[in-house]
């Protein structure tokens, strides 16, 4: 039998070293290296045994293949019976893949997973819970409106070896682990949730998924910095990392792919938290816009795009005299460094003095927007609040703002204009360079092409 290996792993980032170090060379944190004992056959035997049992009768053993003999046809994906989740995954769940779903405590990770598998009546699913009892899961399923759940098997277990034993007996089509921080293996002498346990359990589950073709969904916690807890290698092991975001004070939840080997990472799924679970939001524009904001200053509507989905978001701004010597700059749902840049452009290129003003920017609905086309709406909302003049109803805008004050072109302008027209907007401000791609079509909405920020503000405020 091979001798166990002694290693040192950073608790913060997962950097591994052969000796103890005071300061981590990767993340720069002090006193984060912990001694771990890595067994030479950690989880391998149980994972290989479970995989061979599940694989028997489904496919033959793996063997080398010539590159020219490999089929280029896309592998059929598993329908999750959830349009938002399918979109984020890139069209469905790939057989043999391993998915990591992370989010803050109480955000709805377990609710989303349980609600999804209850609708997958065509698959046999094993749900492993290390945090809740079977009674708690039954009560949650009843609250979600569970009708017939003969296809879902519940296992309350934290031992990795016992989990693989039950997998051999059940032979499921999908395995859900809730959560990976509660699972431990006997081959590692450390507590559940430690760096070693999380890494070795995830590696064993990866071997099982790849060798058996059964997809595995891992639910993970996040730390106080907002990143996934556990070693950084956990994110490298899995095929897809999905972040479930949202403010508990808002009803909306955002599902965002941070890493996806089988699809795009720019897709977005939007849910609404209701009494009976999470409801898919197919048209987020109508929910993210305030119905009545006539006569209110500091509000501008932006035509944004996340992934392939266009929607209109409401940008709110508040400008007031600084109460202290240093003015405050705060942004919710928007990059604060970009806000500082836009304020500098507004002061240098347009001539509005904001050096002694507090500026607060908020994206309504608890949404976090990364589309650069919202720059124009942020500047318009800030100026509207500064002069206390509301923007007329029926106006929206889309455009990236450069450092010289120019309005740069944005992508997919046709979809943005069509979305604004569908929701009844009568005017849209857009970059002049995007106008050439819209000349072939006729729109009911009036187009206002601009080259500079001052031209856009002149259109809005005269």
């Amino acid at each position: 039998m091979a001798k166990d290996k002694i290693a040192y792993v950073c608790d913060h980032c997962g950097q591994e070293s052969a000796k103890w170090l005071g300061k981590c060379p990767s993340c720069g944190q002090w006193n984060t290296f912990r001694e771990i004992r890595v067994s030479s056959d950690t989880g391998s035997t149980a994972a290989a045994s479970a995989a061979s049992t599940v694989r028997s009768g489904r496919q033959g053993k793996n063997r080398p293949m010539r590159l020219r003999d490999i089929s280029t046809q896309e592998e059929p994906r598993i329908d999750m019976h959830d349009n938002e989740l399918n979109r984020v995954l890139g069209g469905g769940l790939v057989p043999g893949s391993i998915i990591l779903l992370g989010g803050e405590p109480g955000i709805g990770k377990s609710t989303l997973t349980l609600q999804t598998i209850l609708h997958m009546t065509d698959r046999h699913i094993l749900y492993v819970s290390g945090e809740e009892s079977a009674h708690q899961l039954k009560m949650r399923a009843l609250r979600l409106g569970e009708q017939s759940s003969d296809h879902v098997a519940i296992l309350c277990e934290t031992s990795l070896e016992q989990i693989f034993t039950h997998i051999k007996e059940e032979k499921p089509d999908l395995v859900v682990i809730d959560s990976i921080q509660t699972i431990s293996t006997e081959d590692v002498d450390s507590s559940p949730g430690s760096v070693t346990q999380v890494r070795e359990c995830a590696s064993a589950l990866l071997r099982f998924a790849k060798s058996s073709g059964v997809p595995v969904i891992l639910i993970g916690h996040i730390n106080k910095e907002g990143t996934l807890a556990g070693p950084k290698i956990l994110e490298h092991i899995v095929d897809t990392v999905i972040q479930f975001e949202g403010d508990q004070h808002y009803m909306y939840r955002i599902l965002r792919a941070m890493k996806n080997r089988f699809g795009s990472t720019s897709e977005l799924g939007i849910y609404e938290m209701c009494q009976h679970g999470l409801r898919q939001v197919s048209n987020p524009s109508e929910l993210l816009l305030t119905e009545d904001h006539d006569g209110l200053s500091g509000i501008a509507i932006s035509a944004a795009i996340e992934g392939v989905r266009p929607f209109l978001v409401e940008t709110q701004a508040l400008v007031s005299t600084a109460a202290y010597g240093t003015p405050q700059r705060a942004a919710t749902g928007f990059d604060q460094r970009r806000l500082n840049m836009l304020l500098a452009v507004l002061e240098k290129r347009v001539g509005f003095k904001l050096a002694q003003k507090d500026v607060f920017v908020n994206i309504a609905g608890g949404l976090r927007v990364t589309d650069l086309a919202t720059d124009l709406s942020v500047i318009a909302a800030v100026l509207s609040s500064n002069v206390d003049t509301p923007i007329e109803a029926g106006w929206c805008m889309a455009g990236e703002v450069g450092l010289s004050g120019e309005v740069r072109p944005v992508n997919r302008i046709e979809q943005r204009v069509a979305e604004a027209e569908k929701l009844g907007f009568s005017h849209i401000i857009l970059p002049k360079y995007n106008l050439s791609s819209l000349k072939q079509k006729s729109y009911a909405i009036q187009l206002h092409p601009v080259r500079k920020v001052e031209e856009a503000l002149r259109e809005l405020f005269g």
Side-chain angles (χ1 to χ4, degrees):
M1 182 176 178
K3 187 178 180 181
D4 292 351
K5 174 186 174 183
I6 298 296
Y8 296 89
V9 176
C10 174
D11 283 340
H12 189 264
C13 68
Q15 175 73 23
E16 189 169 328
S17 173
K19 61 180 182 179
W20 185 86
L21 300 174
K23 181 180 179 181
C24 177
S26 177
C27 63
Q29 299 292 320
W30 289 87
N31 298 325
T32 56
F33 275 90
R34 302 290 182 264
E35 178 182 333
I36 63 172
R37 186 180 300 273
V38 182
S39 177
S40 58
D41 58 347
T42 303
S44 300
T45 306
S49 176
S52 61
T53 302
V54 175
R55 189 179 61 236
S56 59
R58 294 187 179 181
Q59 58 187 21
K61 295 183 178 180
N62 294 330
R63 63 182 186 277
M65 297 179 64
R66 302 294 181 187
L67 183 60
R68 65 174 180 268
D69 298 332
I70 300 177
S71 174
T72 57
Q73 295 181 354
E74 292 188 3
E75 192 170 5
R77 296 176 180 250
I78 300 174
D79 184 12
M80 304 299 290
H81 299 276
D82 187 320
N83 295 332
E84 301 295 311
L85 184 56
N86 283 337
R87 179 186 293 108
V88 174
L89 290 175
L93 189 62
V94 176
S97 62
I98 181 167
I99 313 297
L100 177 61
L101 174 63
E104 295 181 356
I107 204 67
K109 303 183 298 295
S110 301
T111 300
L112 173 64
T113 308
L114 185 60
Q115 174 179 296
T116 301
I117 64 176
L118 287 176
H119 294 158
M120 299 174 62
T121 55
D122 55 339
R123 304 282 176 175
H124 179 45
I125 302 168
L126 177 62
Y127 188 98
V128 181
S129 176
E131 298 181 340
E132 296 178 292
S133 65
H135 179 71
Q136 289 176 304
L137 291 173
K138 178 63 176 178
M139 296 298 293
R140 175 176 292 170
L142 292 175
R143 189 175 69 251
L144 294 175
E146 168 260 340
Q147 301 295 332
S148 175
S149 56
D150 294 338
H151 64 289
V152 178
I154 301 296
L155 173 63
C156 298
E157 183 60 66
T158 58
S159 171
L160 184 65
E161 289 74 18
Q162 292 297 322
I163 291 173
F164 282 131
T165 300
H166 289 287
I167 289 177
K168 292 170 60 177
E169 298 173 356
E170 293 287 337
K171 298 181 180 179
D173 300 318
L174 172 63
V175 177
V176 178
I177 306 294
D178 184 11
S179 66
I180 185 62
Q181 277 82 11
T182 62
I183 306 302
S184 61
T185 175
E186 299 173 356
D187 296 326
V188 176
D189 186 17
S190 60
S191 60
S194 62
V195 173
T196 315
Q197 288 284 6
V198 171
R199 182 181 61 178
E200 298 303 330
C201 291
S203 300
L205 290 167
L206 173 69
R207 287 191 291 269
F208 162 75
K210 297 304 180 184
S211 56
S212 66
V214 176
V216 177
I217 298 178
L218 306 178
I219 298 178
H221 299 159
I222 65 172
N223 53 29
K224 60 183 180 180
E225 285 85 12
T227 58
L228 286 163
K232 196 68 177 178
I233 194 174
L234 180 61
E235 299 180 37
H236 301 319
I237 288 175
V238 300
D239 297 312
T240 304
V241 178
I242 300 177
Q243 194 85 359
F244 204 37
E245 306 170 350
D247 194 333
Q248 295 186 9
H249 302 289
Y250 288 94
M251 65 183 73
Y252 305 113
R253 301 288 185 267
I254 310 298
L255 195 65
R256 193 189 304 267
M258 313 303 293
K259 168 191 174 182
N260 193 355
R261 289 175 178 164
F262 309 111
S264 172
T265 57
S266 60
E267 292 296 343
L268 199 71
I270 302 180
Y271 295 87
E272 181 183 6
M273 180 64 77
C274 303
Q275 184 178 1
H276 301 290
L278 292 163
R279 184 182 70 86
Q280 303 176 43
V281 179
S282 57
N283 186 11
S285 298
E286 296 180 356
L287 295 176
L288 295 175
L289 295 179
T290 304
E291 294 296 332
D292 184 18
H293 54 77
D294 292 342
L296 301 178
S297 62
I299 295 178
I301 308 300
S302 175
I305 281 188
E306 290 286 345
V308 297
R309 170 187 290 185
F311 56 90
L312 302 185
V313 294
E314 181 180 308
T315 306
Q316 301 175 348
L318 176 63
V319 179
S320 62
T321 304
Y324 306 98
T326 304
Q328 301 182 60
R329 303 285 190 263
T332 303
F334 190 77
D335 188 4
Q336 185 166 345
R337 292 174 298 181
R338 191 157 189 86
L339 172 63
N340 294 332
M341 185 204 78
L342 295 176
L343 294 178
V345 171
L346 191 60
E347 182 167 344
K348 178 73 174 180
R349 304 299 179 185
V350 187
F352 284 89
K353 304 300 181 182
L354 299 172
Q356 301 301 321
K357 299 291 185 68
D358 292 336
V359 180
F360 305 94
V361 172
N362 174 49
I363 304 298
L367 192 68
R368 181 169 62 87
V369 176
T370 58
D371 189 5
L372 297 179
T374 57
D375 289 352
L376 203 55
S377 65
V378 170
I379 283 185
V382 169
L383 185 58
S384 172
S385 178
N386 184 43
V387 299
D388 199 18
T389 302
I391 298 175
E392 293 183 10
W395 283 76
C396 65
M397 59 207 74
E400 178 187 352
V401 176
L403 291 179
S404 60
E406 81 278 13
V407 180
R408 300 176 58 84
V410 295
N411 60 346
R412 298 179 183 173
I413 190 64
E414 299 91 351
Q415 298 182 27
R416 301 176 194 266
V417 174
E419 181 74 10
E421 184 182 24
K422 183 180 70 174
L423 293 178
F425 283 82
S426 55
H427 301 271
I428 182 170
I429 299 176
L430 69 161
K432 188 174 183 179
Y433 299 101
N434 285 126
L435 191 62
S436 58
S437 60
L438 297 174
K439 288 183 178 179
Q440 295 81 7
K441 301 179 182 179
S442 59
Y443 294 95
I445 187 173
Q446 187 174 352
L447 307 179
H448 298 268
V450 295
R451 290 180 58 252
K452 298 181 179 179
V453 173
E454 50 264 34
E455 295 179 18
L457 299 179
R458 197 177 300 116
E459 293 281 352
L460 289 172
F461 302 104

